[in-house]
Amino acid sequence: MPQTAPPFAELLANCQRSAVHLEMRDFYDDPDEAPRVAAWKAGHRPDPNDRASWWRPWLDMVAETVVRGVVIRRARIVSEPVSEYTRYLYDGTFTNVAAGEQIRWLPRRNASDLSLPGNDFWVFDDQLVRFGYFSGDGAYLGDEVDDRPAVAKLCSSAFEAVWERAIPHDRYKI
């Protein structure tokens, strides 16, 4: 049964084998991210040689999780031509990859025949799903977790179908 999600750090800390994330929106309006987006719009790009300036604490949490042997994969379904926000994400994705995430991109037109849940999600160890809810203009509305086996199977299968078709970050060009 769906229930309020515990803090994300707790979900990742309890993960033993895999964490997969499917993103399906072309824009997320995250107030915490707004200063980084504004800096990017002004021309700032993350410096590959200055890891201390990269997004914290997320990248530290990813690196610590990967060191424990958990595989973290993220797939992004994107409209093309991509939105300005997707360009921002793309320009910073190398930091996620450096922290240990595997990331792929799937042009939306290549997802038309896939059955996908209606919301972005994370699946932890193929057992627990965390759905994220957003308004039409991208504002975060909350999340919930669901541990029903059929829901976990649906989301895991959807993620794998996207992953199989998606283009690895180092080969995807916008």
Side-chain angles (χ1 to χ4, degrees):
M1 212 54 184
Q3 53 198 301
T4 303
F8 188 84
E10 182 180 319
L11 292 169
L12 207 52
N14 291 329
C15 192
Q16 300 298 309
R17 296 178 315 281
S18 67
V20 299
H21 184 36
L22 183 60
E23 295 177 352
M24 298 183 280
R25 298 184 58 85
D26 289 319
F27 176 72
Y28 296 88
D29 186 12
D30 179 352
D32 293 335
E33 189 177 47
R36 290 189 301 275
V37 174
W40 177 85
K41 286 180 180 182
H44 173 77
R45 299 297 181 267
D47 181 350
N49 299 313
D50 184 11
R51 285 180 175 242
S53 70
W54 298 356
W55 183 27
R56 300 285 188 252
W58 172 253
L59 296 173
D60 294 330
M61 189 169 42
V62 167
E64 292 164 8
T65 303
V66 170
V67 166
R68 289 191 295 110
V70 176
V71 175
I72 300 177
R73 296 182 294 157
R74 179 188 308 250
R76 292 177 171 143
I77 298 175
V78 295
S79 299
E80 291 181 325
V82 300
S83 67
E84 181 180 48
Y85 181 82
T86 298
R87 287 183 181 281
Y88 156 76
L89 287 177
Y90 182 86
D91 284 350
T93 293
F94 76 90
T95 64
N96 298 71
V97 172
E101 273 191 79
Q102 299 173 38
I103 299 182
R104 293 187 180 183
W105 304 80
L106 181 64
R108 192 170 310 280
R109 70 178 177 274
N110 295 339
S112 296
D113 62 342
L114 298 177
S115 294
L116 301 170
N119 295 289
D120 289 11
F121 61 84
W122 281 87
V123 180
F124 301 93
D125 292 331
D126 297 313
Q127 296 176 347
L128 183 69
V129 179
R130 177 188 174 265
F131 288 106
Y133 302 117
F134 299 87
S135 70
D137 59 1
Y140 175 71
L141 299 175
D143 52 57
E144 64 185 7
V145 294
D146 195 318
D147 62 0
R148 292 177 290 175
V151 174
K153 182 178 180 181
L154 170 73
C155 292
S156 293
S157 295
F159 179 86
E160 293 304 331
V162 169
W163 188 258
E164 183 178 305
R165 289 186 187 182
I167 303 162
H169 176 67
D170 63 346
R171 293 199 333 245
Y172 182 69
K173 304 299 177 211
I174 61 171

